[in-house]
Amino acid sequence: MALASLGLALIAFELLGTAGYFLWIGLSALAVGTLLSSLPMSWQLQWSSFAIFSLATTWLWWRKQHKKDAEDDRLRDLNEKQKQLIGQIITVTEDLPAGTCRLRVGDTTWKAELDQATPKGSQVEVIDVKGITLKARKTLNF
């Protein structure tokens, strides 16, 4: 009965905004309280069950949340200038050879790989970024 009360108290405390820290521990306490209502258990077994349930539920939640956070970080472009350049059309300010060269983008230059030689005044599109190297291709000017 004490663990069920503890579980309810922890879940109530979770409502105050502890960002999930007490939710899984509270649910574990409720699970042990539910088990205790149908099975007689010594206090040592109750606390052992509570510890095991708490560790298991917290680990499972952390694992799920970690995957979600990693995916969100992968898709985020904020403060990653190179990712923001993908799709941008750039006018070339000097003749550039095919292969590796320096491409002026705004007020700076980037290492770039071009698929073909590009004369001054032509436009290229950034199609990908690998590390600090822009992959670009010449656009068709009509």
Side-chain angles (χ1 to χ4, degrees):
M1 189 64 169
L3 278 175
S5 299
L6 174 65
L8 291 174
L10 288 170
I11 290 173
F13 194 63
E14 176 65 34
L15 293 174
L16 296 175
T18 60
Y21 294 113
F22 291 115
L23 176 63
W24 305 110
I25 297 170
L27 289 175
S28 297
L30 283 175
V32 173
T34 304
L35 276 176
L36 184 60
S37 68
S38 61
L39 297 172
M41 297 168 64
S42 68
W43 67 269
Q44 294 94 342
L45 186 56
Q46 290 177 40
W47 283 105
S48 297
S49 299
F50 172 65
I52 291 169
F53 286 161
S54 295
L55 290 173
T57 56
T58 303
W59 180 76
L60 288 171
W61 171 77
W62 174 83
R63 191 171 159 198
K64 180 184 182 295
Q65 189 65 38
H66 183 59
K67 282 182 185 176
K68 182 183 179 306
D69 290 346
E71 181 67 18
D72 288 348
D73 287 346
R74 190 181 64 76
L75 297 174
R76 187 173 295 123
D77 291 340
L78 183 65
N79 295 330
E80 294 192 32
K81 181 67 173 174
Q82 66 274 19
K83 284 186 179 179
Q84 295 174 6
L85 293 174
I86 295 175
Q88 190 171 0
I89 305 293
I90 300 161
T91 303
V92 176
T93 58
E94 60 186 74
D95 293 336
L96 297 175
T100 303
C101 60
R102 298 294 296 179
L103 181 63
R104 177 165 286 288
V105 180
D107 61 351
T108 189
T109 61
W110 290 77
K111 180 179 175 185
E113 290 183 8
L114 296 172
D115 56 351
Q116 60 184 346
T118 308
K120 179 180 180 178
S122 299
Q123 293 183 329
V124 295
E125 178 184 7
V126 178
I127 56 174
D128 195 13
V129 177
K130 297 289 183 196
I132 59 169
T133 303
L134 303 178
K135 308 279 185 183
R137 68 170 172 232
K138 186 175 175 183
T139 60
L140 299 175
N141 295 333
F142 295 104

